[in-house]
Amino acid sequence: MHNRGVGGKLFGALLIVIAIGAVLVGTGTINFHPGIDLWEIIMTVVLAFVALAGLLKGEWLEFFVPIAVFATVFNAEVVSWLHLQKLEIWLIWVAAILLSFGMESLFSRRGHHGKYFSADFSSANSVFKAEEIASQTLKTTFGSLKVMIEDGTLPDNATLNLNAQFGGIKLSVPQGWQVIDDTNKSFAGVEIKGKNNTYGQVLTLTGNVSFGGVKVVRY
């Protein structure tokens, strides 16, 4: 069975909560006070789910950005709740970015993927040999990566770890390979072009993709 991961399970739970809420409101079972905005409640719930998914996965940008969005949209309310004189929007986002990278540096969970090829707030291209893939992690934050894997013999149970937050990764693989998507996704997508060769070598994509996209093409 395919493992949907933390992000997929929380997203599914979010859809169920929204659906139940819509039915209850639509049938008149729940009536809101005239001063309460339904869309504000939905936005708050969505942001809370996204932040929780980021926290559970240890993806700090995914955790702090929804908090920054909430503090931006409900700036007046946050200032009142925290008894502040004011809270500048630019300060919210600078703090969110700095906290994200600071926590990433302190608590980064690289696991067995010891080699990183990354592009943060930038773009980068690279070519890897098939036998190098098992030890690689492709990482981008607010950036873009283009990677080609040369044809060759993959290690047994070959996996490629992906970490894309608010960024994109384009991966080019040989025509005859099977590519299996086993990534955790939060408001993101992984697109695999072309058909898998049933008898081809298998490359499994793992890791986390949040507010970004991964495209796999064959050459």
Side-chain angles (χ1 to χ4, degrees):
M1 182 179 294
H2 179 67
N3 180 15
R4 294 187 60 85
V6 174
K9 292 177 181 178
L10 283 177
F11 182 67
L14 172 61
L15 294 179
I16 293 172
V17 170
I18 292 177
I20 293 174
V23 170
L24 293 176
V25 172
T27 57
T29 304
I30 295 178
N31 294 311
F32 287 103
H33 188 277
I36 298 177
D37 190 327
L38 176 60
W39 292 110
E40 290 184 355
I41 294 176
I42 293 175
M43 179 185 292
T44 301
V45 171
V46 169
L47 291 174
F49 267 84
V50 174
L52 179 59
L55 179 63
L56 293 177
K57 292 185 295 184
E59 298 293 342
W60 299 107
L61 194 64
E62 187 180 339
F63 173 66
F64 284 112
V65 165
I67 295 175
V69 172
F70 180 86
T72 299
V73 174
F74 302 103
N75 187 267
E77 290 82 352
V78 171
V79 169
S80 176
W81 294 336
L82 299 179
H83 304 288
L84 303 174
Q85 292 185 349
K86 63 179 180 178
L87 182 59
E88 300 287 351
I89 302 300
W90 67 267
L91 182 59
I92 294 172
W93 286 96
V94 168
I97 298 300
L98 292 178
L99 284 169
S100 299
F101 282 97
M103 295 295 284
E104 177 72 19
S105 298
L106 290 173
F107 302 107
S108 178
R109 299 185 297 180
R110 296 192 178 187
H112 67 280
H113 301 281
K115 298 179 181 178
Y116 267 50
F117 178 61
S118 63
D120 296 331
F121 296 93
S122 62
S123 60
N125 302 331
S126 188
V127 178
F128 291 99
K129 296 179 180 179
E131 55 269 22
E132 296 175 330
I133 288 304
S135 61
Q136 285 290 339
T137 290
L138 306 182
K139 179 180 179 296
T140 181
T141 303
F142 289 103
S144 173
L145 284 179
K146 293 183 179 179
V147 172
M148 185 180 80
I149 304 174
E150 295 180 341
D151 200 1
T153 302
L154 285 170
D156 293 337
N157 302 315
T159 62
L160 177 61
N161 193 50
L162 308 177
N163 189 329
Q165 300 184 65
F166 297 89
I169 297 175
K170 182 178 180 181
L171 184 65
S172 300
V173 302
Q175 187 70 35
W177 287 9
Q178 295 186 61
V179 181
I180 298 174
D181 173 26
D182 198 27
T183 58
N184 298 316
K185 293 173 282 292
S186 297
F187 299 95
V190 175
E191 180 182 9
I192 301 175
K193 295 284 190 179
K195 294 183 178 180
N196 277 326
N197 181 351
T198 306
Y199 302 101
Q201 300 187 82
V202 179
L203 175 65
T204 301
L205 305 179
T206 61
N208 300 302
V209 184
S210 306
F211 296 96
V214 175
K215 179 182 288 187
V216 180
V217 299
R218 305 173 193 272
Y219 65 86

